[in-house]
Amino acid sequence: MQQKVVVIIVTYNGSKWLNKCLQSLAQSIVPVSVIAIDNASTDDSVAILKKYPFVEVIQSETNLGFGKANNIGIQKALEQNFDYCFLLNQDTWIEPETIQNLVAVALENKKFGIISPMHFAPDETSLDTNFEMYWKRRTNSISENVDEVPFVNAAAWLLSRELIEKVGYFEPMFDHYGEDRNYADRVRFHGFKTIIVKNSKIYHDRTITRSFQKDVKQSKFKMLAEVLNVNHNFIIGLLKAFQNVIGLPKYFSKYYSSSKVFSMFWQLLGYYILLKLHFITILKARKRYK
């Protein structure tokens, strides 16, 4: 029986990429529907989305960020009885066989939880820099075509209905950064694997830039992910978060001046105290994950 696959795309001012992304999806060997959640774009992203009859557009009045917007699409997909959700970034495109090869591997083993293709740069030859870093950390070669990794970013995730019903949705405490890492931690807690499928490809057209405020924000959400990680207890999570208060400014000292590193330390320390003050909310979330 043909598996029903929905592609979920969160869009925000993505007009420069959307036609290429959607045209590639139209060529997929596995027929797909698309649910696009637009995060209050100010360009013509919505107009582009509405040109494609296989795209259902949901318009948010505000920018919900990555996780909360994806949650809307995932809920809609479950209501429509799809077998698989393929979370795909707006600045990517696929090969005709990309989704077919992911689904084929998913059907091989129900313990494959997060199933991701190889992520290539827009030159379609070299690997995406961040993806290459995650792939190099692979812990197990399951087969010639499948590698297990601790984590891969959510630019292209195939998730089964069974996995979502077990693990749940993205944690709404995160705002654009960190929610994919938190989800991967929960996937691991429930005994599922995160894998890379080597005969499946996407191309990711992005330029990775560094900014101080972005690094501070990502660092805070890394700390939040530690205290929410149900693979260890809450006390261990607090200890790991505090290690980040010290370790992350030290790491970023190679990129920023001493005054900025000192500022980062105080901001992370303040955030750590805030996490401890909100321990009841965090403990409730941890309980919910189980």
Side-chain angles (χ1 to χ4, degrees), residues 14-281:
S15 60
K16 67 178 286 188
W17 300 291
L18 284 172
N19 279 311
K20 189 165 189 176
C21 177
L22 294 170
Q23 287 166 11
S24 74
L25 290 169
Q27 298 301 313
S28 173
I29 294 171
V30 173
V32 297
S33 299
V34 175
I35 298 174
I37 305 89
D38 185 76
N39 269 334
S41 292
T42 56
D43 65 2
D44 58 348
S45 290
V46 171
I48 293 171
L49 293 167
K50 288 182 175 180
K51 290 193 306 182
Y52 293 85
F54 57 91
V55 178
E56 177 181 358
V57 183
I58 300 171
Q59 293 178 249
S60 173
E61 294 182 357
T62 59
N63 190 339
L64 300 172
F66 179 83
K68 291 188 280 289
N70 264 303
N71 285 347
I72 293 172
I74 292 169
Q75 182 178 7
K76 178 74 69 172
L78 295 183
E79 291 170 356
Q80 296 176 3
N81 293 315
F82 282 96
D83 300 303
Y84 292 95
C85 295
F86 185 44
L87 311 188
L88 189 66
N89 277 18
Q90 65 178 0
D91 54 354
T92 65
W93 61 95
I94 71 168
E95 296 282 356
E97 66 275 10
T98 296
I99 295 174
Q100 174 183 262
N101 291 350
L102 293 175
V103 171
V105 170
L107 293 171
E108 292 175 6
N109 191 330
K110 293 297 184 182
K111 283 301 180 180
F112 291 165
I114 295 171
I115 302 171
S116 191
M118 300 290 288
H119 301 199
F120 285 84
D123 64 11
E124 300 190 355
T125 302
S126 56
L127 290 174
D128 175 81
T129 304
N130 276 7
F131 170 81
E132 186 173 19
M133 175 183 65
Y134 299 133
W135 187 44
K136 283 181 177 178
R137 295 174 182 170
R138 54 193 181 273
T139 57
N140 182 25
S141 182
I142 295 174
S143 69
E144 185 177 345
N145 189 42
V146 177
D147 285 340
E148 182 179 0
V149 292
F151 173 76
V152 61
N153 58 298
W157 279 8
L158 185 78
L159 308 176
S160 70
R161 182 184 187 90
E162 291 83 359
L163 176 86
I164 295 167
E165 289 175 342
K166 185 72 174 179
V167 177
Y169 295 85
F170 285 105
E171 172 56 59
M173 279 190 275
F174 292 91
D175 180 19
H176 192 64
Y177 300 117
E179 57 272 91
D180 52 355
R181 191 170 294 276
N182 168 264
Y183 201 86
D185 289 338
R186 290 152 54 198
V187 164
R188 184 168 69 256
F189 174 79
H190 285 285
F192 295 93
K193 299 178 185 296
T194 296
I195 64 164
I196 304 297
V197 179
K198 290 186 278 189
N199 70 347
S200 180
K201 299 177 182 179
I202 65 153
Y203 306 102
H204 198 172
D205 184 15
R206 61 171 175 170
T207 302
I208 300 170
T209 58
R210 166 146 278 120
S211 78
F212 180 71
Q213 289 306 319
K214 177 182 174 182
D215 285 333
V216 170
K217 190 173 185 179
Q218 287 183 319
S219 297
K220 288 179 178 179
F221 285 131
K222 186 175 187 300
M223 293 166 61
L224 177 59
E226 292 289 9
V227 297
L228 288 172
N229 189 346
V230 283
N231 294 290
H232 49 239
N233 66 45
F234 178 56
I235 301 301
I236 296 297
L238 284 174
L239 289 172
K240 287 180 175 290
F242 186 72
Q243 287 176 344
N244 287 328
V245 173
I246 306 297
L248 289 172
K250 183 179 179 181
Y251 169 78
F252 286 114
S253 64
K254 59 187 175 182
Y255 299 111
Y256 299 117
S257 65
S258 298
S259 61
K260 284 195 170 183
V261 170
F262 194 60
S263 172
M264 176 181 283
F265 168 76
W266 284 109
Q267 289 185 63
L268 296 187
L269 181 60
Y271 187 72
Y272 177 74
I273 294 169
L274 194 65
L275 288 176
K276 294 184 73 173
L277 291 175
H278 287 84
F279 72 94
I280 293 176
T281 301

